[in-house]
Amino acid sequence: MTFYNIFGTVLVLRMIIRELKMRDMKIINYTLIGILFAFNAFANSTTNLSYLQNYIGDFTDSDNDGMTDVAELRYGFDPNDSNSLPTETYVVSSSMLIEDDAEIGSDNDVVYFKFTNFTSYEIYRTSEFLKKIIPIIRNTLGNPAETFVCEFYNRGGNYGSWMCTEQGRRMLCDNSWNPRLLVHELVHVWKGKYDFASNDYYWRFSEELYGFEEGAEGLAYEILHDYVEAYPSDELSEDIVEGGSWVNWSSKTSTFDLSKHQRFLGGGSFWVDNITTYDRYNASAVLQQILQKHDENFIKKVLASYYDKIEADSEFRPSRDNLIDLYASVVPEVNGIPTRSYIDALPFMNGEQLANEFYAVLVNDSRFRGTSKVFCAFADNNKGEFWWSSPIRKHSVDSFGIPSWFGKHLGSDGYYYTDNRGVNYDVIVSKVTGEHVKTISGTLEAGSYGDGSPSNIALGTSNDLSSSRFDIGLYKQTLQFPQYKQHTSRYTEDYYFFGYKNHYQSADDYSIFVGIDTPYQTDVTLVINNEMHMATAQNNCAVFELNHFPSNFEGMFVVSVTNGETTHNYVRTALNAGTNDGVRHQSFLIIDKNFNGIEDLYETQGEVEAFVGVGTIGIGVDPVATDDNGSATEYVYEDDNASFETTEEEYVYEDVNNEVIEETEEQPLFGVYFNTIEGGIEISWNTSDTSTYYLALDNAGEQLIYGGHSEGKTDLIFADHNLLGTEVLHGKFLEYSNETSEFIDYVGGFELNLANYTSEIPETIQIETENSVVVIDNVVDVAITEDNTTIVNTETNVIIIENTESVYEFDEDNVTYTTDDNVVIIVDDNVTLYTNEEDTYEMNSSDSVVVITTEEIYFEEDNSTYEDTTEEVYEDANTTVYEEDTQEEFYGEDVNGTQEETIVENVTYDYSVAPDAPPVVKSAWETATSVGNNWYYTEWFGYYFKETSSSWIYQVDLGWMYADWTTSFDSFWLYQDTLGWIWTSSAYFPYVYLPHENNWLYVTPEMYYNFATQTWTEFDVVTE
């Protein structure tokens, strides 16, 4: 139950905020005004269940059928009829052929369930739970998106790991029983293939929108809270209430407000290591719950609008921008902040993998009077991971963006592992007013494997970091890694925490800490239910011991803060939750250093960070510094009084045919102009005598320009930013007052399509990588992917160059390659390689894909044929064969599959010198994400089991298959009992190629589609 059930609408809250702003509130000293429950008495008189005596709510059950009257009315049953209650389990005995209606999320859509590998008791237990929980899920989420059967597939074991796969059609389970985990996955299932994180043509999963989709964790807790209110006498309800964190609430709910803005929480994927993953899940969960407190039908309304958009436009797919628009259409403000601004300040909702840079990480355990652990990491540029799963090897470490100075270990398998064992750290603890308290120093430690490789990220812990050792107050921890100071400005990071010394609380007590980072002395009064709770703030922290509050206390409230002269109002939301170790305690943080009434997180639309030197606008940062890769970075000063007044509406500008981009009539005229110059574009805009406009320009999240340009223009040179002239850039302007030295407005944003201002693509281009220069003639089209892979279409071939560093027009009068480079010249169908060892290789290839990596060149022919040999040997087109130690032959295949041979000069070897031992090379099948017990996972292939020292794998849908040894999923072979040898790749699967039929198939768990015959066929899956 939440406060808006009593007051009817959140507008009541806004009216009170408006009224507070109008009043003269100097007589109120730092008042926390709660708008919560009309608690006449906190003792519950509607139930005799002891575990609910501290709960608020009406648990009356007039017909004694186990379901409360309130719940029966809410979910469509008769509270006076004991036979009127949920009875449908939606469990079927096998996969039914179900005809789905054309409408998404209609009243007729139903999700059915079947069980595989479950015991009779497990089926009964889960079915009974489904019977009771489905009405609550439907009330919370609305109708399912589709009608289908979801198979609960038990993989065995007891790992507490359940996962929705196959667009909701299958849930991978084990023998553990955790209702919260089941409900979490049911939220995913409910959306079918239309979940928030599936955004390509085939509605396949993408990591970039993890933060939106994993709000399922928060919805699971909300649904379980409703379950308790609906079935109070159910044994499971007692387990939920007494279960604490990970059962009744997310483990780090109590510290969400302190850490929600931390940089390390960013990322598309939540799985960047095994330390911070659940911090992201927690943050996503709490955000979702906060939104539900603003409108109890929030997600139901969002999903209804979302399905309507898909119905109206078959090409509509979820994106960060359109999902935020949907959120804002239901809840325009979150805790008093415009929804887009609020979400923009949350790194875990940024839709991007962690930036390729250094991180100084401090993770609070969120226990009552708890402690912290520290570590440092460098996110790779491939997956943005702290614990690298990418194949980072000695010759490729630079291409993954890992600098030479960062700690790493080369394992016996030939791969690098992040390794900071023995690295020293300092945690400087100070009051938020700047007064130094103490410095805690230590060394990072981690276990080791037999070859000396670290078993995990090296961590630092200390009893001195325990919050119980600090007097009550709000503190800042500055984590530093001194040995990295000379290499990166990111060697240090700030974090907040509360001191709890001499503050104790029993399991039945309730308390709230409110901290405000401001230099002023404040007093506190808490007003809830016509009661006033007064306290004097200690070290910027107000403590409220509210022991008579109900355990399920939740709702929004206003924090009114005064320094004796000025009063400002803020909003926060309390949840039915507590600490990681089960104590009913919540803490809230407001950062308003200049005390202007606007929280620092939301000034300049989220561009101004709360911490020194962390964001794109920093306080007291050198105007010119270097980033983690040594490049110059421009920083903009913000003085201690800087602030940014956000506006109600964000103005977006269209760039069309070089026309002036202007604001609406309600705003001052502001124009942006684009003019083509040599090698790029000049961007200019209106100027002002009283203000400077700061331009922020980015390409797919990569910042290109950021800073003030008082002259009102700047040049964007393509070569300086590795731009081809085909990209679509996004920019925005912030207004900085020259008179008050502060940011005063967000002017607006624009989209710039470079293709509208560039000439045709040059006929000959030069592409540079880490160790090669590639010159390509007869170019038709060029594109660069987000992972810096360049794709070039010529008149005869497609050329793919990985790890591209630069692309520009070839100038024979200004050749830039050196003797250390390998040089590849591609003219028509001729490919010539000049190595840095002065060897020359030449091949002819037409209608082919030519792939150039830092290690090799190989060809994929569109019309290649494969002939069986007596030894069944398959060789790639780039196979190198050695004969008698003196002669090397380079083979290539033309379009008809015949071999052309070039004899290379004889090579003389010095047999007195033993060669270096080669690295241990892992099969790609062993480099996927390990989930334990020889089980692995990839997004595109799903879960599979691999036998040790064998090439046999078991895929959960396709059964046993022989996986040909490969170092990359870019191209590999499988043998399946029904299909025989098949070829596929991570980009094509579940499309597979049959060479013996020269045909493509599309495979599903039980059938495959033959594109040649245009038929579906069942095939046998070998499971034993």
Side-chain angles (χ1 to χ4, degrees), residues 42-339:
F42 290 144
N44 200 309
S45 60
T46 61
T47 178
N48 57 5
L49 296 170
S50 60
Y51 82 94
L52 289 177
Q53 288 304 305
N54 206 36
Y55 258 54
I56 189 79
D58 186 352
F59 296 99
T60 302
D61 182 7
S62 299
D63 56 8
N64 294 316
D65 60 359
M67 192 175 189
T68 63
D69 294 357
V70 172
E72 294 204 49
L73 291 171
R74 179 183 298 174
Y75 306 128
F77 300 98
D78 184 350
N80 297 310
D81 182 357
S82 61
N83 294 317
S84 176
L85 73 167
T87 58
E88 178 61 66
T89 65
Y90 301 98
V91 173
V92 296
S93 58
S94 62
S95 292
M96 300 168 22
L97 293 177
I98 297 175
E99 183 176 349
D100 189 14
D101 62 1
E103 183 180 355
I104 302 173
S106 73
D107 291 340
N108 298 323
D109 281 315
V110 179
V111 177
Y112 297 95
F113 306 95
K114 76 169 186 174
F115 295 87
T116 301
N117 298 336
F118 282 82
T119 66
S120 297
Y121 170 71
E122 290 170 336
I123 294 174
Y124 170 78
R125 177 183 61 190
T126 309
S127 299
E128 286 297 300
F129 180 66
L130 289 172
K131 178 174 64 178
K132 296 178 180 179
I133 202 71
I134 291 297
I136 302 176
I137 293 178
R138 185 178 284 271
N139 181 73
T140 304
L141 305 180
N143 298 323
E146 304 175 89
T147 294
F148 57 87
V149 176
C150 173
E151 178 189 21
F152 288 179
Y153 186 90
N154 190 345
R155 297 168 295 169
N158 196 14
Y159 312 111
S161 174
W162 290 39
M163 178 174 291
C164 167
T165 65
E166 300 176 20
Q167 300 181 329
R169 272 66 174 174
R170 173 175 280 195
M171 190 183 300
L172 300 176
C173 315
D174 61 21
N175 293 321
S176 63
W177 173 244
N178 185 332
R180 185 270 309 168
L181 186 58
L182 173 56
V183 174
H184 176 126
E185 298 305 321
L186 286 174
V187 173
H188 295 315
V189 169
W190 214 250
K191 301 172 190 172
K193 71 177 182 180
Y194 303 109
D195 65 75
F196 290 158
S198 296
N199 60 1
D200 76 348
Y201 178 81
Y202 298 101
W203 291 93
R204 288 179 295 197
F205 181 81
S206 173
E207 291 182 341
E208 63 191 45
L209 298 175
Y210 240 125
F212 294 89
E213 182 59 26
E214 292 308 332
E217 179 76 356
L219 290 169
Y221 293 116
E222 292 298 303
I223 290 169
L224 289 180
H225 294 165
D226 289 342
Y227 186 94
V228 172
E229 294 180 2
Y231 310 104
S233 59
D234 192 311
E235 182 179 350
L236 184 58
S237 293
E238 183 173 358
D239 292 340
I240 293 169
V241 170
E242 297 182 347
S245 66
W246 291 117
V247 177
N248 198 17
W249 62 76
S250 193
S251 65
K252 296 192 174 183
T253 305
S254 65
T255 56
F256 169 81
D257 218 37
L258 278 73
S259 63
K260 65 179 185 288
H261 54 277
Q262 294 296 164
R263 192 167 57 96
F264 76 85
L265 288 178
S269 172
F270 281 10
W271 294 86
V272 303
D273 57 34
N274 62 355
I275 301 172
T276 64
T277 290
Y278 293 109
D279 289 79
R280 295 177 185 84
Y281 272 96
N282 168 83
S284 184
V286 175
L287 172 62
Q288 184 69 57
Q289 290 182 269
I290 289 173
L291 292 167
Q292 293 295 121
K293 296 308 145 207
H294 284 65
D295 185 332
E296 66 177 341
N297 293 313
F298 168 77
I299 193 62
K300 182 192 295 185
K301 293 177 181 178
V302 167
L303 287 174
S305 297
Y306 176 62
Y307 298 152
D308 286 345
K309 289 185 177 295
I310 300 171
E311 291 273 12
D313 180 3
S314 62
E315 296 184 359
F316 176 88
R317 295 295 183 272
S319 68
R320 182 179 183 275
D321 281 343
N322 62 38
L323 287 177
I324 293 177
D325 287 342
L326 285 172
Y327 280 26
S329 69
V330 177
V331 174
E333 294 182 352
V334 181
N335 285 349
I337 304 297
T339 298

Side-chain angles (χ1 to χ4, degrees), residues 40 110 184 214 282 313 386 400 421 442 572 988:
N40 293 325
V110 179
H184 176 126
E214 292 308 332
N282 168 83
D313 180 3
F386 290 160
F400 284 93
R421 291 172 292 182
R572 286 296 183 269
Y988 284 107

Side-chain angles (χ1 to χ4, degrees), residues 395-396 399 769-772 802-803 822 852-856:
H395 62 270
S396 63
S399 66
T769 70
E770 175 187 0
N771 62 351
S772 300
E802 298 181 358
N803 302 311
N822 299 297
I852 302 173
T853 74
T854 56
E855 307 168 30
E856 60 187 351

Side-chain angles (χ1 to χ4, degrees), residues 740-903:
T740 63
S741 298
E742 63 182 4
F743 285 95
I744 59 175
D745 204 357
Y746 169 81
V747 181
F750 62 89
E751 185 177 275
L752 171 59
N753 188 341
L754 297 183
N756 294 336
Y757 305 95
T758 55
S759 58
E760 295 182 358
I761 296 174
E763 183 179 6
T764 305
I765 64 174
Q766 179 168 318
I767 302 172
E768 296 182 357
T769 70
E770 175 187 0
N771 62 351
S772 300
V773 173
V774 184
V775 178
I776 306 174
D777 196 20
N778 298 321
V779 174
V780 176
D781 190 25
V782 183
I784 298 181
T785 66
E786 292 183 358
D787 61 353
N788 292 327
T789 296
T790 301
I791 303 173
V792 182
N793 286 278
T794 70
E795 296 176 356
T796 56
N797 293 298
V798 176
I799 297 95
I800 299 175
I801 301 97
E802 298 181 358
N803 302 311
T804 300
E805 294 183 350
S806 62
V807 181
Y808 45 85
E809 184 175 6
F810 176 71
D811 183 358
E812 61 183 6
D813 296 325
N814 185 25
V815 178
T816 59
Y817 53 82
T818 69
T819 56
D820 292 330
D821 291 320
N822 299 297
V823 179
V824 182
I825 307 294
I826 303 177
V827 180
D828 296 328
D829 60 355
N830 180 268
V831 181
T832 305
L833 167 64
Y834 302 92
T835 74
N836 53 18
E837 297 179 352
E838 300 185 358
D839 293 325
T840 302
Y841 301 92
E842 186 173 350
M843 292 187 60
N844 290 320
S845 181
S846 181
D847 297 325
S848 300
V849 178
V850 182
V851 182
I852 302 173
T853 74
T854 56
E855 307 168 30
E856 60 187 351
I857 302 174
Y858 61 91
F859 302 77
E860 295 180 358
E861 322 293 353
D862 287 346
N863 299 316
S864 296
T865 60
Y866 298 85
E867 297 182 2
D868 290 338
T869 67
T870 55
E871 296 181 359
E872 280 194 308
V873 176
Y874 295 89
E875 293 185 339
D876 291 337
N878 63 313
T879 301
T880 302
V881 181
Y882 296 91
E883 298 281 350
E884 299 180 347
D885 296 326
T886 60
Q887 183 169 281
E888 183 179 17
E889 298 182 1
F890 182 83
Y891 289 91
E893 292 184 354
D894 65 16
V895 69
N896 296 315
T898 59
Q899 292 186 340
E900 295 183 356
E901 179 179 320
T902 301
I903 306 298

Side-chain angles (χ1 to χ4, degrees), residues 393 412-415 918-924 926-927 965-968:
R393 302 169 68 178
S412 60
D413 57 3
Y415 296 97
V920 177
V921 181
K922 282 186 176 181
S923 166
E926 297 176 349
T927 61
W965 198 93
T966 181
T967 59
S968 169

